[in-house]
Amino acid sequence: MTDLKTGLRLLLLSLTIGSSVGQTEPPNDAETMLLDFVPFFKIPLKIAIFVCWPNEKSAELVRRMMMTTTQSPHLMQLHNDSLENVALLDTLEPHQHLAVIDVACPNSERFLTQAGYRIYHRIRWVLLDSEAVGFDGRERRESKVLNLLGGMEVTGNCEVFYFTWSDGGDLLVKDVYRISMPSGLISNVVAIWRNGTFNDQRMGLSTAVRRRNLQQTAIRTTVVYTDNYTLHHFEDYENPQIGTPCRTSYHLARILYHFYLNATMEKRFTSSWCYPNALGLCGDFIDNRTEATATVLLIVAWRLNYVAYLKTPIFAHVRFIYKMPNLSMTDNIFELPFNTNVWACTFALVVLSGGLFAGARAVGKRKYREHLELIDSAFNVIPIAAQQGSIIEAKGIGLRTFILVTLIGLMALEVSFSAKIISLIQAPSRRINTLKDLLESKLEVAADDTVYNRHFLSTATEPVRRELYEKKLLLKNGSMNVYGMEDGIARVREGLFAYHLYASTGYKRVSETFDEVEKCYLREMKLVPTSIGYLSVKLNYTLREHFHVGLMRMFEAGVHNRVYNKMHTSKPSCVKGASFRPLGLIDIKFAVDLMCWGLATALLILLLESLWRKYKISRIPLFQYIE
């Protein structure tokens, strides 16, 4: 038992001695600090090192880095007369780029100044000070870094690191940033050196999450309003059908600023998005009068030069609303009861019946006095098919049976035809499904009187959209056919009218004025290719990632859906039923056309017969009349 206790004590003593031997002192030189710090990121990095060291020292750093890490660094010498090395930082994957610069070099401050937005735009920076090493140089090291960054825009999502020492002699890595340019620099410990590695001390990897508290920083924000009512009701949900897209996006931005970022919205109001000539909201971005927008924007190619769109989509349902016209407006309802095969069989039955009737009568009479009597017998099937009876008296049992069977068979077809016609007269047409169909239809086309409507409709270049604008929307006086929302929806209810507007505002009015059956006839159609808008910030904005993360968290938590449901009215549901209406001329157009063409054909044949008779009379010799 005594030997066992002695063995355990010796084992414990050996482990203690081994652990103490494994611990090493923190490195005192800048090169070793950097070599230990590179694995801290745990991702493949493209390393660019900017120094002014002797060639031997630079080569030694590259050699050691290639031996201890898998990275292949680009070592560049800082020159007093050249800053072309900054171009190396313009990479397609800035989040994988690590830039290391020796702040002891005389040209380092100018280099960082010229680097501009690259300081904060997703590139990681490490500021080395090769002159101040070890614990004795910690105050000089830290003060030099802070003075160097004093006038630089190290805001938002930037990651600038430097090495320093704690009071207890621990080697630290700190990051430095500021909330806004007027505010002071803030530095936090992100890693502590332990046994050859830096232990991560960050509260999360995302800088946008760690630094989301902007401490009531004022963010210049442009807000678009479409009318005076909207201007005074951005903060409430009263009458959501007025200014819906502007007020919806404003509510989302207000929640983002107040509850997530703890920022202040410094509002700037404008009555236009970007039209015409890049005025309004886009003009504020171009002239640097704003940093963000609280109004939704559609993605347009030329705007990408000035704004950065945020990730969370806001659906902007701008489209045509129309009521399906009656089926008789687009189709011949007298043709629709039967399909093509049934029509072919019906006509074949009539022709066959006429031939059989004439043949049966010929067999019964054995002969015909005239050739026309055979034609009259064949045509006798027409009044039979029309349920008018026979114009020729049938004396035989066979012919009478034939007429009876034909009448009964064709009567069944007529009953089926009439029953189907009744439903087709009340049925809506489903033929208008595309812009091409709308262009070729008899529907009048108009738009809501808003700036974005006028712009997107008048600048359409796609052939069908352009033709629709020129033929349907553009009036003879050169102005566009526009209506107020209430008048436009009233015209939609009357029928034969397609109205282009923000759908939610129209559906609010529809739910108040349409009856349940009329709501079932509503259809919508997109004119603008995209119906998804986004909030946006200025290009290369330092807080862009803060906005991204905040909006995505709001979306995941259901805040986006809550605001959207309170401000938007979806397409109203309906109760299917019959809505009987009196017949109009359009419903019987085919029948009237058939009668007119038939009468015209009969008159033409009568005229031809009269001319033919006169011609025959004129050919008879005169002596025949004398006799």
Side-chain angles (χ1 to χ4, degrees):
M1 189 69 179
T2 304
D3 295 338
L4 180 60
K5 291 183 178 179
T6 304
L8 290 174
R9 288 175 181 174
L10 291 174
L11 178 61
L12 180 60
L13 179 62
S14 63
L15 290 175
T16 305
I17 295 174
S19 63
S20 62
V21 172
Q23 292 179 348
T24 59
E25 293 295 326
N28 290 324
D29 60 290
E31 299 89 333
T32 307
M33 294 178 188
L34 178 61
L35 291 173
D36 288 348
F37 185 55
V38 169
F40 168 80
F41 296 102
K42 299 178 182 178
I43 60 172
L45 293 173
K46 298 178 180 180
I47 303 176
I49 304 176
F50 304 94
V51 294
C52 55
W53 302 343
N55 292 336
E56 296 79 6
K57 184 177 180 180
S58 301
E60 178 64 18
L61 174 62
V62 173
R63 186 188 65 81
R64 293 177 61 188
M65 183 168 289
M66 294 181 67
M67 289 178 59
T68 57
T69 68
T70 59
Q71 316 301 331
S72 241
H74 294 276
L75 189 66
M76 298 301 223
Q77 295 289 336
L78 285 174
H79 300 290
N80 293 328
D81 57 348
S82 175
L83 290 175
E84 71 276 3
N85 298 331
V86 177
L88 292 174
L89 305 179
D90 293 319
T91 174
L92 296 178
E93 300 86 15
H95 61 285
Q96 293 182 352
H97 207 122
L98 178 66
V100 182
I101 182 170
D102 184 3
V103 297
C105 294
N107 201 33
S108 58
E109 183 175 359
R110 183 178 173 215
F111 179 88
L112 290 173
T113 303
Q114 293 295 327
Y117 75 93
R118 301 174 186 86
I119 296 293
Y120 56 80
H121 188 59
R122 301 180 68 186
I123 295 177
R124 297 176 175 89
W125 289 81
V126 176
L127 306 185
L128 286 175
D129 190 353
S130 59
E131 294 181 352
V133 295
F135 179 80
D136 295 335
R138 68 186 180 93
E139 294 182 358
R140 176 186 173 188
R141 185 194 311 273
E142 191 155 7
S143 61
K144 186 172 184 177
V145 169
L146 296 180
N147 291 334
L148 184 65
L149 299 176
M152 295 185 184
E153 197 172 355
V154 285
T155 58
N157 204 38
C158 73
E159 290 188 90
V160 180
F161 304 97
Y162 66 93
F163 298 99
T164 186
W165 298 80
S166 68
D167 294 335
D170 293 323
L171 176 60
L172 309 176
V173 177
K174 288 187 176 182
D175 68 344
V176 59
Y177 71 99
R178 54 163 46 96
I179 295 176
S180 63
M181 286 303 295
S183 64
L185 292 170
I186 302 172
S187 61
N188 295 312
V189 176
V190 298
I192 300 177
W193 190 92
R194 288 287 187 273
N195 299 328
T197 60
F198 283 93
N199 296 331
D200 198 340
Q201 303 295 310
R202 294 174 294 182
M203 302 297 292
L205 298 180
S206 173
T207 55
V209 174
R210 298 199 311 267
R211 305 172 186 173
R212 74 177 191 176
N213 184 3
L214 300 183
Q215 301 178 12
Q216 292 296 306
T217 299
I219 300 176
R220 293 175 298 159
T221 307
T222 297
V223 183
V224 177
Y225 68 96
T226 53
D227 50 62
N228 291 332
Y229 182 90
T230 303
L231 183 61
H232 296 95
H233 288 271
F234 272 112
E235 302 289 339
D236 57 50
Y237 292 91
E238 181 182 339
N239 294 324
Q241 73 275 12
I242 303 177
T244 307
C246 300
R247 294 170 66 189
T248 300
S249 49
Y250 175 83
H251 281 299
L252 291 174
R254 179 176 61 85
I255 295 172
L256 173 69
Y257 282 41
H258 183 71
F259 293 100
Y260 183 80
L261 297 176
N262 189 25
T264 302
M265 185 184 296
E266 187 179 303
K267 289 175 280 192
R268 175 184 176 85
F269 292 98
T270 180
S271 59
S272 173
W273 275 261
C274 300
Y275 333 109
N277 302 324
L279 299 177
L281 176 58
C282 291
D284 288 350
F285 278 119
I286 294 171
D287 298 333
N288 197 29
R289 292 191 295 265
T290 190
E291 297 167 309
T293 173
T295 304
V296 64
L297 271 177
L298 297 179
I299 295 180
V300 180
W302 66 268
R303 291 179 184 164
L304 298 176
N305 297 322
Y306 307 102
V307 303
Y309 291 92
L310 303 176
K311 294 177 182 177
T312 306
I314 300 175
F315 294 98
H317 297 293
V318 182
R319 54 197 58 191
F320 281 109
I321 294 179
Y322 62 97
K323 192 166 74 170
M324 290 185 294
N326 299 324
L327 189 61
S328 54
M329 292 292 299
T330 58
D331 297 86
N332 177 13
I333 59 174
F334 292 92
E335 177 188 352
L336 297 178
F338 299 150
N339 62 33
T340 305
N341 294 332
V342 175
W343 278 118
C345 293
T346 302
F347 283 116
L349 176 63
V350 172
V351 174
L352 180 63
S353 299
L356 292 175
F357 185 81
R361 190 160 180 260
V363 171
K365 295 188 67 175
R366 299 293 181 182
K367 63 178 181 177
Y368 283 97
R369 291 189 299 271
E370 293 184 7
H371 179 68
L372 290 176
E373 189 173 348
L374 177 62
I375 299 177
D376 290 342
S377 299
F379 272 87
N380 184 50
V381 76
I382 295 178
I384 294 175
Q387 303 294 300
Q388 301 299 317
S390 176
I391 60 176
I392 296 176
E393 182 181 358
K395 297 181 179 179
I397 297 176
L399 284 178
R400 291 176 179 176
T401 304
F402 178 82
I403 292 174
L404 177 63
V405 171
T406 305
L407 282 171
I408 294 174
L410 293 176
M411 181 183 67
L413 286 173
E414 184 179 356
V415 170
S416 302
F417 180 87
S418 301
K420 187 65 175 178
I421 280 288
I422 293 174
S423 62
L424 291 176
I425 288 175
Q426 306 297 331
S429 173
R430 301 182 184 276
R431 291 271 185 151
I432 304 176
N433 300 309
T434 65
L435 291 176
K436 185 70 173 177
D437 298 335
L438 182 60
L439 175 64
E440 296 173 350
S441 70
K442 298 180 181 180
L443 271 65
E444 180 185 353
V445 177
D448 189 17
D449 190 11
T450 55
V451 178
Y452 59 82
N453 252 345
R454 291 181 179 274
H455 173 76
F456 280 108
L457 294 173
S458 61
T459 58
T461 56
E462 195 272 331
V464 175
R465 292 185 178 89
R466 190 65 193 173
E467 191 175 1
L468 181 67
Y469 171 74
E470 293 176 349
K471 290 186 176 181
K472 293 271 190 176
L473 278 161
L474 199 62
L475 301 177
K476 293 182 178 180
N477 60 5
S479 62
M480 196 169 74
N481 191 19
V482 295
Y483 283 85
M485 191 269 292
E486 293 186 0
D487 294 336
I489 295 300
R491 291 291 307 275
V492 170
R493 187 183 184 191
E494 293 174 5
L496 299 181
F497 188 81
Y499 188 47
H500 193 260
L501 79 165
Y502 193 82
S504 175
T505 63
Y507 287 144
K508 177 68 174 178
R509 184 64 180 170
V510 165
S511 62
E512 297 172 350
T513 58
F514 279 49
D515 60 40
E516 295 302 318
V517 177
E518 288 176 329
K519 294 174 185 177
C520 294
Y521 294 165
L522 278 179
R523 289 293 182 272
E524 58 183 33
M525 182 189 307
K526 289 196 301 184
L527 175 69
V528 181
T530 179
S531 61
I532 300 178
Y534 300 86
L535 295 178
S536 54
V537 296
K538 71 178 182 179
L539 204 63
N540 298 323
Y541 186 43
T542 61
L543 299 177
R544 181 177 64 175
E545 196 66 22
H546 292 61
F547 280 75
H548 279 318
V549 175
L551 288 173
M552 291 304 295
R553 288 201 169 187
M554 289 168 56
F555 187 83
E556 293 169 357
V559 176
H560 178 278
N561 291 336
R562 176 182 178 274
V563 173
Y564 193 86
N565 292 335
K566 290 187 70 173
M567 288 298 302
H568 285 70
T569 302
S570 302
K571 184 179 179 180
S573 58
C574 65
V575 178
K576 293 183 178 181
S579 177
F580 291 97
R581 59 180 180 82
L583 291 179
L585 287 177
I586 191 66
D587 300 313
I588 58 173
K589 180 177 182 299
F590 175 76
V592 174
D593 290 344
L594 186 63
M595 290 178 60
C596 293
W597 282 106
L599 290 174
T601 303
L603 291 175
L604 178 62
I605 294 174
L606 178 62
L607 178 61
L608 292 176
E609 287 181 342
S610 177
L611 292 176
W612 178 252
R613 182 172 178 278
K614 288 182 179 181
Y615 172 75
K616 289 182 65 176
I617 292 176
S618 66
R619 299 280 295 182
I620 299 176
L622 183 60
F623 67 87
Q624 292 185 6
Y625 288 101
I626 296 175
E627 292 179 357

Short mmCIF file of all heavy atoms in Angstrom, two decimals, residues 217 245 296 617:
data_model
loop_
_atom_site.label_atom_id
_atom_site.label_comp_id
_atom_site.label_asym_id
_atom_site.label_seq_id
_atom_site.Cartn_x
_atom_site.Cartn_y
_atom_site.Cartn_z
N THR A 217 -26.26 56.54 -32.41
CA THR A 217 -25.60 57.23 -33.52
C THR A 217 -26.63 57.64 -34.57
O THR A 217 -27.51 56.86 -34.94
CB THR A 217 -24.55 56.30 -34.16
OG1 THR A 217 -23.57 55.97 -33.19
CG2 THR A 217 -23.88 56.98 -35.35
N PRO A 245 -46.31 50.91 -49.90
CA PRO A 245 -44.90 50.47 -49.98
C PRO A 245 -43.96 51.35 -49.17
O PRO A 245 -43.04 50.84 -48.52
CB PRO A 245 -44.60 50.53 -51.48
CG PRO A 245 -45.62 51.44 -52.06
CD PRO A 245 -46.84 51.28 -51.21
N VAL A 296 -38.39 51.17 -49.92
CA VAL A 296 -38.03 50.04 -50.77
C VAL A 296 -37.61 50.52 -52.15
O VAL A 296 -38.15 51.49 -52.69
CB VAL A 296 -39.22 49.06 -50.87
CG1 VAL A 296 -40.41 49.71 -51.55
CG2 VAL A 296 -38.82 47.79 -51.58
N ILE A 617 -83.92 34.78 -121.09
CA ILE A 617 -85.01 35.34 -121.89
C ILE A 617 -84.46 36.09 -123.10
O ILE A 617 -85.00 36.02 -124.21
CB ILE A 617 -85.89 36.26 -121.03
CG1 ILE A 617 -86.63 35.40 -119.98
CG2 ILE A 617 -86.87 37.05 -121.88
CD1 ILE A 617 -87.44 36.23 -119.01
#
